[in-house]
Amino acid sequence: MLFAKPLAELIAELERLPGVGPKSAQRLAYHLLRVPEAEARRLSEAIVKAKSTLRFCSVCQNVSESETCEICTSP
């Protein structure tokens, strides 16, 4: 199927996610096109915020906002 370039790019990026095949990527892309822009923007901002503020704990590999997670720093 031939898609408009921005849609094809979105589908290709969604396919890169673990467990998301071509059909699922298409369904997700069409869903994102149908939701209000504010909802799509919230998703994109949540991804960017998580990517910029979260890391893996240097001790246990749990997700944390700091070098060492709260569990590993707790006495």
Side-chain angles (χ1 to χ4, degrees), residues 11-71:
I11 291 169
E13 290 303 317
L14 291 169
E15 277 186 67
R16 296 178 62 186
L17 295 171
V20 178
K23 293 248 187 208
S24 293
Q26 287 178 25
R27 281 192 287 277
L28 289 167
Y30 280 110
H31 170 75
L32 291 170
L33 290 175
R34 286 186 186 102
V35 299
E37 184 174 338
E39 189 174 331
R41 191 169 302 282
R42 279 194 309 270
L43 173 61
S44 68
E45 289 170 357
I47 292 169
V48 170
K49 183 178 180 181
K51 190 68 181 152
S52 66
T53 61
L54 297 176
R55 63 199 58 157
F56 292 101
C57 173
S58 60
V59 178
C60 70
Q61 300 304 305
N62 191 17
V63 176
S64 176
E65 292 184 70
S66 58
E67 180 72 25
T68 310
C69 73
E70 292 178 25
I71 296 170

